[in-house]
Amino acid sequence: MAKIILLGYMGSGKSTIAKSLSEKTQIKLFDLDKIIEDRTNLSIKSIFETKGEVYFRKLEHEIFKELIASDEKSIISLGGGTPCYANNHEMLNGDGIASFYLKGSIETLYKRLISIKENRPLIADQSEEEMKEYIAKHLFDRSFYYNQATHKISIDEKSIEDVVNAILEKLA
Ligand code: S3P
């Protein structure tokens, strides 16, 4: 498999699981958010604040296209919104591509995001009360795109290792 793509909502563990999967398989990892931060020399939060979301989404699309076009075998960890903009969901399947939707319940995502929301511009300023409703609605709006993934892996009550093993099983 030439490209393994991980996608899912904020807090679903994409970056952590991709890192572990990369260590286990020795396949090179590309983390889309990190590449965007490196190229712009800005954090995702400051890109949203100073350049706006539209700028971010364009860059995200361009870099995702670049990663897919390369011949290199790789694991690509997407940002939570990547599949939902600029027809990026059309790049989740195809020859040599296996994509994995790391699917969490509203409750699981909410619990995880409470402690790590500061660096996520879409939710950073929300109260805990507001966040739950936001996640529920946002996840509903995005589920069409997430469900375009080749495989869906539940992350509820699962450890990193459990999820990595579930991905490896599908790839076997
Ligand atoms: C976003 C998710 C973030 C990051 C940006 C927008 C989103 O990535 O790309 O803040 O639209 O859901 P993570 O899913 O890695 O937090």
Side-chain angles (χ1 to χ4, degrees):
M1 190 58 62
K3 305 271 181 248
I4 300 164
I5 303 175
L6 302 193
L7 60 124
Y9 201 69
M10 293 175 274
S12 58
K14 300 177 292 292
S15 299
T16 316
I17 286 159
K19 197 161 170 278
S20 169
L21 188 65
S22 166
E23 280 163 11
K24 245 187 171 155
T25 57
Q26 293 298 305
I27 299 172
K28 194 164 174 190
L29 166 64
F30 293 94
D31 189 305
L32 195 46
D33 279 348
K34 280 212 187 84
I35 299 174
I36 294 173
E37 292 188 325
D38 289 347
R39 286 210 192 165
T40 56
N41 230 345
L42 292 167
S43 69
I44 299 293
K45 197 157 182 241
S46 46
I47 297 175
F48 269 70
E49 280 165 6
T50 61
K51 311 234 178 213
E53 183 171 353
V54 173
Y55 174 89
F56 173 82
R57 295 300 173 194
K58 279 191 185 150
L59 201 53
E60 182 179 51
H61 175 64
E62 289 309 318
I63 298 174
F64 184 31
K65 258 197 325 199
E66 229 178 79
L67 293 175
I68 289 289
S70 94
D71 289 335
E72 201 172 6
K73 188 169 179 173
S74 59
I75 296 169
I76 306 171
S77 173
L78 301 183
T82 316
C84 319
Y85 294 88
N87 288 331
N88 289 336
H89 67 283
E90 291 174 358
M91 294 190 271
L92 297 178
N93 289 290
D95 269 1
I97 299 178
S99 53
F100 292 84
Y101 169 25
L102 306 185
K103 186 174 182 182
S105 67
I106 297 164
E107 201 56 39
T108 300
L109 297 168
Y110 171 70
K111 276 193 206 142
R112 292 187 184 190
L113 285 169
I114 285 175
S115 55
I116 54 165
K117 71 184 174 84
E118 274 63 40
N119 299 324
R120 267 91 180 167
L122 297 176
I123 52 171
D125 298 331
Q126 293 189 21
S127 67
E128 290 184 15
E129 285 283 285
E130 290 168 327
M131 247 176 66
K132 201 158 193 177
E133 211 180 308
Y134 180 85
I135 294 169
K137 188 181 173 298
H138 210 195
L139 201 55
F140 179 78
D141 290 342
R142 287 182 164 185
S143 57
F144 166 79
Y145 299 98
Y146 291 159
N147 280 317
Q148 305 300 313
T150 327
H151 306 284
K152 285 110 203 159
I153 308 271
S154 168
I155 58 156
D156 295 329
E157 321 285 341
K158 297 227 181 89
S159 66
I160 295 166
E161 203 183 352
D162 290 340
V163 178
V164 170
N165 287 336
I167 293 173
L168 289 172
E169 259 173 45
K170 298 272 186 198
L171 289 172

PDB file of all heavy atoms in Angstrom, residues 95-115:
ATOM      1  N   ASP A  95      -6.168   3.967  -6.334  1.00  0.00           N
ATOM      2  CA  ASP A  95      -5.074   3.012  -6.469  1.00  0.00           C
ATOM      3  C   ASP A  95      -4.000   3.256  -5.428  1.00  0.00           C
ATOM      4  O   ASP A  95      -3.452   4.350  -5.345  1.00  0.00           O
ATOM      5  CB  ASP A  95      -4.442   3.153  -7.864  1.00  0.00           C
ATOM      6  CG  ASP A  95      -5.113   2.215  -8.830  1.00  0.00           C
ATOM      7  OD1 ASP A  95      -6.051   1.511  -8.411  1.00  0.00           O
ATOM      8  OD2 ASP A  95      -4.693   2.198 -10.002  1.00  0.00           O
ATOM      9  N   GLY A  96      -3.716   2.233  -4.629  1.00  0.00           N
ATOM     10  CA  GLY A  96      -2.621   2.341  -3.665  1.00  0.00           C
ATOM     11  C   GLY A  96      -2.919   3.221  -2.470  1.00  0.00           C
ATOM     12  O   GLY A  96      -2.019   3.585  -1.720  1.00  0.00           O
ATOM     13  N   ILE A  97      -4.186   3.602  -2.271  1.00  0.00           N
ATOM     14  CA  ILE A  97      -4.521   4.455  -1.118  1.00  0.00           C
ATOM     15  C   ILE A  97      -5.466   3.705  -0.174  1.00  0.00           C
ATOM     16  O   ILE A  97      -6.478   3.163  -0.609  1.00  0.00           O
ATOM     17  CB  ILE A  97      -5.207   5.771  -1.569  1.00  0.00           C
ATOM     18  CG1 ILE A  97      -4.273   6.579  -2.468  1.00  0.00           C
ATOM     19  CG2 ILE A  97      -5.656   6.598  -0.371  1.00  0.00           C
ATOM     20  CD1 ILE A  97      -4.878   7.872  -3.000  1.00  0.00           C
ATOM     21  N   ALA A  98      -5.114   3.679   1.102  1.00  0.00           N
ATOM     22  CA  ALA A  98      -6.030   3.138   2.109  1.00  0.00           C
ATOM     23  C   ALA A  98      -6.211   4.218   3.165  1.00  0.00           C
ATOM     24  O   ALA A  98      -5.244   4.685   3.758  1.00  0.00           O
ATOM     25  CB  ALA A  98      -5.464   1.876   2.737  1.00  0.00           C
ATOM     26  N   SER A  99      -7.452   4.637   3.376  1.00  0.00           N
ATOM     27  CA  SER A  99      -7.680   5.681   4.378  1.00  0.00           C
ATOM     28  C   SER A  99      -8.462   5.098   5.552  1.00  0.00           C
ATOM     29  O   SER A  99      -9.286   4.190   5.385  1.00  0.00           O
ATOM     30  CB  SER A  99      -8.409   6.864   3.752  1.00  0.00           C
ATOM     31  OG  SER A  99      -9.583   6.443   3.101  1.00  0.00           O
ATOM     32  N   PHE A 100      -8.179   5.648   6.722  1.00  0.00           N
ATOM     33  CA  PHE A 100      -8.773   5.134   7.958  1.00  0.00           C
ATOM     34  C   PHE A 100      -9.439   6.271   8.716  1.00  0.00           C
ATOM     35  O   PHE A 100      -8.768   7.238   9.106  1.00  0.00           O
ATOM     36  CB  PHE A 100      -7.689   4.501   8.849  1.00  0.00           C
ATOM     37  CG  PHE A 100      -7.119   3.242   8.257  1.00  0.00           C
ATOM     38  CD1 PHE A 100      -6.089   3.305   7.331  1.00  0.00           C
ATOM     39  CD2 PHE A 100      -7.631   2.000   8.599  1.00  0.00           C
ATOM     40  CE1 PHE A 100      -5.573   2.142   6.769  1.00  0.00           C
ATOM     41  CE2 PHE A 100      -7.123   0.839   8.039  1.00  0.00           C
ATOM     42  CZ  PHE A 100      -6.092   0.909   7.123  1.00  0.00           C
ATOM     43  N   TYR A 101     -10.738   6.138   8.929  1.00  0.00           N
ATOM     44  CA  TYR A 101     -11.461   7.114   9.745  1.00  0.00           C
ATOM     45  C   TYR A 101     -11.394   6.646  11.196  1.00  0.00           C
ATOM     46  O   TYR A 101     -11.929   5.601  11.541  1.00  0.00           O
ATOM     47  CB  TYR A 101     -12.913   7.228   9.249  1.00  0.00           C
ATOM     48  CG  TYR A 101     -13.865   8.009  10.143  1.00  0.00           C
ATOM     49  CD1 TYR A 101     -13.412   8.999  11.029  1.00  0.00           C
ATOM     50  CD2 TYR A 101     -15.234   7.776  10.079  1.00  0.00           C
ATOM     51  CE1 TYR A 101     -14.295   9.707  11.836  1.00  0.00           C
ATOM     52  CE2 TYR A 101     -16.133   8.482  10.879  1.00  0.00           C
ATOM     53  CZ  TYR A 101     -15.653   9.443  11.754  1.00  0.00           C
ATOM     54  OH  TYR A 101     -16.524  10.140  12.558  1.00  0.00           O
ATOM     55  N   LEU A 102     -10.707   7.412  12.032  1.00  0.00           N
ATOM     56  CA  LEU A 102     -10.623   7.089  13.459  1.00  0.00           C
ATOM     57  C   LEU A 102     -11.869   7.690  14.110  1.00  0.00           C
ATOM     58  O   LEU A 102     -11.960   8.894  14.323  1.00  0.00           O
ATOM     59  CB  LEU A 102      -9.337   7.663  14.063  1.00  0.00           C
ATOM     60  CG  LEU A 102      -8.044   7.266  13.344  1.00  0.00           C
ATOM     61  CD1 LEU A 102      -6.829   7.796  14.097  1.00  0.00           C
ATOM     62  CD2 LEU A 102      -7.938   5.748  13.187  1.00  0.00           C
ATOM     63  N   LYS A 103     -12.832   6.802  14.341  1.00  0.00           N
ATOM     64  CA  LYS A 103     -14.177   7.253  14.694  1.00  0.00           C
ATOM     65  C   LYS A 103     -14.427   7.226  16.199  1.00  0.00           C
ATOM     66  O   LYS A 103     -14.359   6.170  16.821  1.00  0.00           O
ATOM     67  CB  LYS A 103     -15.171   6.329  13.975  1.00  0.00           C
ATOM     68  CG  LYS A 103     -16.596   6.736  14.103  1.00  0.00           C
ATOM     69  CD  LYS A 103     -17.477   5.854  13.235  1.00  0.00           C
ATOM     70  CE  LYS A 103     -18.921   6.344  13.362  1.00  0.00           C
ATOM     71  NZ  LYS A 103     -19.829   5.505  12.600  1.00  0.00           N
ATOM     72  N   GLY A 104     -14.680   8.413  16.757  1.00  0.00           N
ATOM     73  CA  GLY A 104     -14.952   8.490  18.192  1.00  0.00           C
ATOM     74  C   GLY A 104     -16.357   8.999  18.452  1.00  0.00           C
ATOM     75  O   GLY A 104     -16.911   9.751  17.630  1.00  0.00           O
ATOM     76  N   SER A 105     -16.942   8.624  19.566  1.00  0.00           N
ATOM     77  CA  SER A 105     -18.265   9.137  19.931  1.00  0.00           C
ATOM     78  C   SER A 105     -18.123  10.589  20.397  1.00  0.00           C
ATOM     79  O   SER A 105     -17.013  11.036  20.744  1.00  0.00           O
ATOM     80  CB  SER A 105     -18.866   8.295  21.053  1.00  0.00           C
ATOM     81  OG  SER A 105     -18.093   8.491  22.233  1.00  0.00           O
ATOM     82  N   ILE A 106     -19.226  11.300  20.454  1.00  0.00           N
ATOM     83  CA  ILE A 106     -19.212  12.698  20.927  1.00  0.00           C
ATOM     84  C   ILE A 106     -18.608  12.740  22.329  1.00  0.00           C
ATOM     85  O   ILE A 106     -17.784  13.594  22.641  1.00  0.00           O
ATOM     86  CB  ILE A 106     -20.652  13.264  20.939  1.00  0.00           C
ATOM     87  CG1 ILE A 106     -21.206  13.299  19.519  1.00  0.00           C
ATOM     88  CG2 ILE A 106     -20.701  14.652  21.573  1.00  0.00           C
ATOM     89  CD1 ILE A 106     -22.701  13.472  19.441  1.00  0.00           C
ATOM     90  N   GLU A 107     -19.004  11.809  23.163  1.00  0.00           N
ATOM     91  CA  GLU A 107     -18.535  11.751  24.547  1.00  0.00           C
ATOM     92  C   GLU A 107     -17.012  11.587  24.618  1.00  0.00           C
ATOM     93  O   GLU A 107     -16.325  12.300  25.347  1.00  0.00           O
ATOM     94  CB  GLU A 107     -19.239  10.565  25.240  1.00  0.00           C
ATOM     95  CG  GLU A 107     -19.286  10.628  26.739  1.00  0.00           C
ATOM     96  CD  GLU A 107     -19.924  11.899  27.288  1.00  0.00           C
ATOM     97  OE1 GLU A 107     -20.923  12.373  26.701  1.00  0.00           O
ATOM     98  OE2 GLU A 107     -19.402  12.417  28.290  1.00  0.00           O
ATOM     99  N   THR A 108     -16.489  10.630  23.862  1.00  0.00           N
ATOM    100  CA  THR A 108     -15.032  10.385  23.842  1.00  0.00           C
ATOM    101  C   THR A 108     -14.288  11.637  23.373  1.00  0.00           C
ATOM    102  O   THR A 108     -13.312  12.069  23.999  1.00  0.00           O
ATOM    103  CB  THR A 108     -14.685   9.225  22.867  1.00  0.00           C
ATOM    104  OG1 THR A 108     -15.354   8.053  23.310  1.00  0.00           O
ATOM    105  CG2 THR A 108     -13.199   8.964  22.789  1.00  0.00           C
ATOM    106  N   LEU A 109     -14.761  12.235  22.294  1.00  0.00           N
ATOM    107  CA  LEU A 109     -14.063  13.398  21.725  1.00  0.00           C
ATOM    108  C   LEU A 109     -14.145  14.577  22.685  1.00  0.00           C
ATOM    109  O   LEU A 109     -13.155  15.275  22.914  1.00  0.00           O
ATOM    110  CB  LEU A 109     -14.661  13.750  20.359  1.00  0.00           C
ATOM    111  CG  LEU A 109     -14.500  12.648  19.308  1.00  0.00           C
ATOM    112  CD1 LEU A 109     -15.355  12.938  18.075  1.00  0.00           C
ATOM    113  CD2 LEU A 109     -13.041  12.485  18.897  1.00  0.00           C
ATOM    114  N   TYR A 110     -15.311  14.772  23.253  1.00  0.00           N
ATOM    115  CA  TYR A 110     -15.515  15.864  24.213  1.00  0.00           C
ATOM    116  C   TYR A 110     -14.550  15.741  25.390  1.00  0.00           C
ATOM    117  O   TYR A 110     -13.846  16.681  25.742  1.00  0.00           O
ATOM    118  CB  TYR A 110     -16.971  15.858  24.665  1.00  0.00           C
ATOM    119  CG  TYR A 110     -17.275  16.785  25.813  1.00  0.00           C
ATOM    120  CD1 TYR A 110     -17.264  18.164  25.630  1.00  0.00           C
ATOM    121  CD2 TYR A 110     -17.576  16.283  27.084  1.00  0.00           C
ATOM    122  CE1 TYR A 110     -17.539  19.018  26.688  1.00  0.00           C
ATOM    123  CE2 TYR A 110     -17.853  17.124  28.133  1.00  0.00           C
ATOM    124  CZ  TYR A 110     -17.828  18.500  27.940  1.00  0.00           C
ATOM    125  OH  TYR A 110     -18.088  19.339  28.980  1.00  0.00           O
ATOM    126  N   LYS A 111     -14.489  14.558  25.958  1.00  0.00           N
ATOM    127  CA  LYS A 111     -13.616  14.328  27.126  1.00  0.00           C
ATOM    128  C   LYS A 111     -12.172  14.624  26.783  1.00  0.00           C
ATOM    129  O   LYS A 111     -11.437  15.230  27.545  1.00  0.00           O
ATOM    130  CB  LYS A 111     -13.737  12.869  27.589  1.00  0.00           C
ATOM    131  CG  LYS A 111     -14.919  12.640  28.499  1.00  0.00           C
ATOM    132  CD  LYS A 111     -14.787  11.273  29.156  1.00  0.00           C
ATOM    133  CE  LYS A 111     -16.147  10.734  29.548  1.00  0.00           C
ATOM    134  NZ  LYS A 111     -16.277   9.287  29.336  1.00  0.00           N
ATOM    135  N   ARG A 112     -11.729  14.169  25.606  1.00  0.00           N
ATOM    136  CA  ARG A 112     -10.332  14.393  25.207  1.00  0.00           C
ATOM    137  C   ARG A 112     -10.075  15.864  24.901  1.00  0.00           C
ATOM    138  O   ARG A 112      -9.022  16.405  25.235  1.00  0.00           O
ATOM    139  CB  ARG A 112     -10.012  13.583  23.960  1.00  0.00           C
ATOM    140  CG  ARG A 112     -10.001  12.085  24.214  1.00  0.00           C
ATOM    141  CD  ARG A 112      -9.505  11.445  22.959  1.00  0.00           C
ATOM    142  NE  ARG A 112      -9.540   9.998  23.032  1.00  0.00           N
ATOM    143  CZ  ARG A 112      -8.982   9.230  22.118  1.00  0.00           C
ATOM    144  NH1 ARG A 112      -8.360   9.768  21.091  1.00  0.00           N
ATOM    145  NH2 ARG A 112      -9.033   7.936  22.221  1.00  0.00           N
ATOM    146  N   LEU A 113     -11.036  16.509  24.251  1.00  0.00           N
ATOM    147  CA  LEU A 113     -10.800  17.875  23.777  1.00  0.00           C
ATOM    148  C   LEU A 113     -10.815  18.920  24.886  1.00  0.00           C
ATOM    149  O   LEU A 113     -10.196  19.972  24.750  1.00  0.00           O
ATOM    150  CB  LEU A 113     -11.796  18.237  22.670  1.00  0.00           C
ATOM    151  CG  LEU A 113     -11.480  17.591  21.318  1.00  0.00           C
ATOM    152  CD1 LEU A 113     -12.625  17.764  20.333  1.00  0.00           C
ATOM    153  CD2 LEU A 113     -10.208  18.183  20.722  1.00  0.00           C
ATOM    154  N   ILE A 114     -11.499  18.632  25.972  1.00  0.00           N
ATOM    155  CA  ILE A 114     -11.542  19.580  27.092  1.00  0.00           C
ATOM    156  C   ILE A 114     -10.123  19.995  27.493  1.00  0.00           C
ATOM    157  O   ILE A 114      -9.836  21.167  27.680  1.00  0.00           O
ATOM    158  CB  ILE A 114     -12.262  18.958  28.309  1.00  0.00           C
ATOM    159  CG1 ILE A 114     -13.765  18.941  28.050  1.00  0.00           C
ATOM    160  CG2 ILE A 114     -11.977  19.751  29.587  1.00  0.00           C
ATOM    161  CD1 ILE A 114     -14.539  18.239  29.146  1.00  0.00           C
ATOM    162  N   SER A 115      -9.230  19.011  27.565  1.00  0.00           N
ATOM    163  CA  SER A 115      -7.885  19.328  28.052  1.00  0.00           C
ATOM    164  C   SER A 115      -6.920  19.780  26.962  1.00  0.00           C
ATOM    165  O   SER A 115      -5.831  20.255  27.259  1.00  0.00           O
ATOM    166  CB  SER A 115      -7.325  18.117  28.792  1.00  0.00           C
ATOM    167  OG  SER A 115      -7.373  17.011  27.943  1.00  0.00           O
TER     168      SER A 115
END
